[in-house]
Amino acid sequence: MKKSRTAVLSLLGILVVAAFTMHVISVEASPATLYSVGTTTPTPTSSPTPTPTPTPTPTPTPTYILHVHSDYVGVPNYEVPISYSGDYNGTEVTPFDIGPKTSPFAVTLQAPMGAAPSCRLFTGWSVDPSMPSSYCYSTTITVTVNDTYKDRLAHVSYTGWALPVPALFYGSVQIDSANVPDGTSVTATVHGFNYNMTYGIGTTTPLEYGPSTYYLYIYNDFICHNHGTPVTFEIGCYDAVQQANWPGGYELNLSAFSPTPTSTPTPSPVTSVAIDCASAPAGETADVDITINTSDPQGIGSATITLTVDTTVVTVGNIAAGDLGTVYSNTVGSTTTMSAATGSSPGPTGTLTFATVTLNAVGTGEECSDLDIEVPSMYDGTAGYPQLIYPFPVNDCNVCIGTVRLEGDVHPLGSGNDAIDSADFQLVAQGLVGTITLTGDDFLAADVNDSGTLDAADLQLVAQYLVGTITEFSGGTYIP
């Protein structure tokens, strides 16, 4: 009995330990395990996140740059002019950059010996000052910017006060190729500074230079000018032709020229050619003048003029001589060539009649022909060596036949008389006030501005034509 009790207690102890162990396991398990001891709940499987394709990083374009700086005793000194040449050329004042560039380059830098305006003295160049053995005592240095040194610094230094370099200029002086009088002022100008001394020629000027000379010595002005700076001169109030470079020290003969007075240009001679307009009934004739108007002082010596017509409308008949004398003509097809020469020197000038041409109206009905003229040659009346003249303008016209009427040619009613006179003016006035009624071609002839109505403007235009204020109506030469 005692063994059985002991066995039971031992079994209970094993169960208690087992139960305690199961409790601990349930506490450390996931929440799902608390509700189902000994049962494992599967974890949901999620889709894998895609790995993004990396964007390629562009290769940066290399840049190359050279900085150019300057200092005076360690203090930045600006506006020192530095010239450079090589792969790039120019002149700039410090501080400045050459670049950035996209490829390596090399330039040679040139610094002035003295830095104006304070006469600072050049001491040397340094390139990338942090690098050893980079100092250069020459005013010229070559710097290379490459893949090893892409960003470089060239530094020029100045120190102390440099004594101003004296300048010397001497030589002869002339204005308009003649010696100048005593007391003439000679002025040298450099960087806007004027150095002027007036010398009595032959007195204060050293005798060994002779009369009309100058001697200009500039010193102790406490202004430093760079070597090679341009120097300009004035003689009196005239600019000298010659220039020099600072500080001179050599003979320089100066000359100047007074300005030439501006003269009023003489107008160029003008020559023009024209032919009259005309009209003629069928079977009749009409005369037209070919005129030359010239302001050439030598006048007209000779001329050749061609006239081209529509030979189905008119033909060229008689050709009468004009102011140049006998006209020699030759007709080939529709073109007539006419020539005339005065044989005098100088020739006639002003308004000249070259020829009077008679036109035969051979067409029928209301027809017109252009009167086209050209001038193959024309010479003035210069003796021995006549000069060629190019007339401009050359004005053409036309001729009409049949029942064609002139604008303004109202009288007599029903036909006109190929002329415009006071009788036409009276008929236009009567038509305007209603004393008579103008119709058909009579109305068209009276309506000289082709406005479609007869009004005071037409009467005024006819009056202006009669007194010579105008030579043609705005409606043209002939009625529509």
Side-chain angles (χ1 to χ4, degrees), residues 246-342:
W246 187 271
Y250 48 83
E251 181 177 1
L252 180 67
N253 297 324
L254 299 179
S255 60
F257 297 91
S258 56
T260 303
T262 303
S263 59
T264 302
T266 302
S268 300
V270 176
T271 301
S272 61
V273 180
I275 187 170
D276 293 340
C277 300
S279 64
E284 300 292 332
T285 62
D287 291 338
V288 294
D289 288 336
I290 299 175
T291 57
I292 301 173
N293 192 300
T294 182
S295 61
D296 193 316
Q298 296 300 319
I300 302 299
S302 63
T304 297
I305 298 176
T306 63
L307 170 63
T308 302
V309 300
D310 183 350
T311 54
T312 64
V313 179
V314 294
T315 59
V316 174
N318 183 61
I319 300 176
D323 295 320
L324 300 188
T326 302
V327 178
Y328 299 92
S329 63
N330 179 43
T331 299
V332 177
S334 59
T335 299
T336 299
T337 302
M338 297 165 281
S339 299
T342 62

Side-chain angles (χ1 to χ4, degrees), residues 86-365:
D87 292 333
Y88 300 98
N89 300 279
T91 298
E92 299 185 55
V93 295
T94 56
F96 65 92
D97 295 335
I98 303 176
K101 307 296 184 181
T102 58
S103 60
F105 63 90
V107 291
T108 298
L109 305 173
Q110 173 69 55
M113 180 60 71
S118 56
C119 290
R120 294 166 183 172
L121 186 63
F122 172 83
T123 58
W125 280 101
S126 60
V127 179
D128 301 327
S130 61
M131 297 175 60
S133 302
S134 63
Y135 211 74
C136 174
Y137 294 97
S138 170
T139 56
T140 301
I141 188 172
T142 299
V143 182
T144 300
V145 183
N146 52 27
D147 289 329
T148 303
Y149 304 105
K150 296 180 180 179
D151 193 323
R152 307 203 72 177
L153 170 63
H155 198 103
V156 61
S157 298
Y158 290 84
T159 186
W161 278 85
L163 290 177
V165 178
L168 173 62
F169 306 101
Y170 61 91
S172 63
V173 186
Q174 287 192 328
I175 296 179
D176 295 332
S177 302
N179 288 348
V180 298
D182 291 355
T184 299
S185 173
V186 176
T187 304
T189 301
V190 53
H191 264 154
F193 294 92
N194 296 329
Y195 303 101
N196 177 287
M197 297 181 122
T198 301
Y199 297 96
I201 304 302
T203 56
T204 58
T205 300
L207 295 178
E208 61 266 28
Y209 295 125
S212 192
T213 60
Y214 77 105
Y215 184 90
L216 192 57
Y217 183 67
I218 304 168
Y219 61 98
N220 290 337
D221 64 347
F222 298 104
I223 299 175
C224 182
H225 301 298
N226 295 329
H227 282 250
T229 299
V231 182
T232 59
F233 297 87
E234 276 190 353
I235 306 172
C237 58
Y238 301 125
D239 293 332
V241 176
Q242 296 76 17
Q243 293 187 359
N245 293 324
W246 187 271
Y250 48 83
E251 181 177 1
L252 180 67
N253 297 324
L254 299 179
S255 60
F257 297 91
S258 56
T260 303
T262 303
S263 59
T264 302
T266 302
S268 300
V270 176
T271 301
S272 61
V273 180
I275 187 170
D276 293 340
C277 300
S279 64
E284 300 292 332
T285 62
D287 291 338
V288 294
D289 288 336
I290 299 175
T291 57
I292 301 173
N293 192 300
T294 182
S295 61
D296 193 316
Q298 296 300 319
I300 302 299
S302 63
T304 297
I305 298 176
T306 63
L307 170 63
T308 302
V309 300
D310 183 350
T311 54
T312 64
V313 179
V314 294
T315 59
V316 174
N318 183 61
I319 300 176
D323 295 320
L324 300 188
T326 302
V327 178
Y328 299 92
S329 63
N330 179 43
T331 299
V332 177
S334 59
T335 299
T336 299
T337 302
M338 297 165 281
S339 299
T342 62
S344 61
S345 178
T349 187
T351 301
L352 315 173
T353 298
F354 171 76
T356 299
V357 180
T358 299
L359 300 174
N360 304 313
V362 297
T364 58

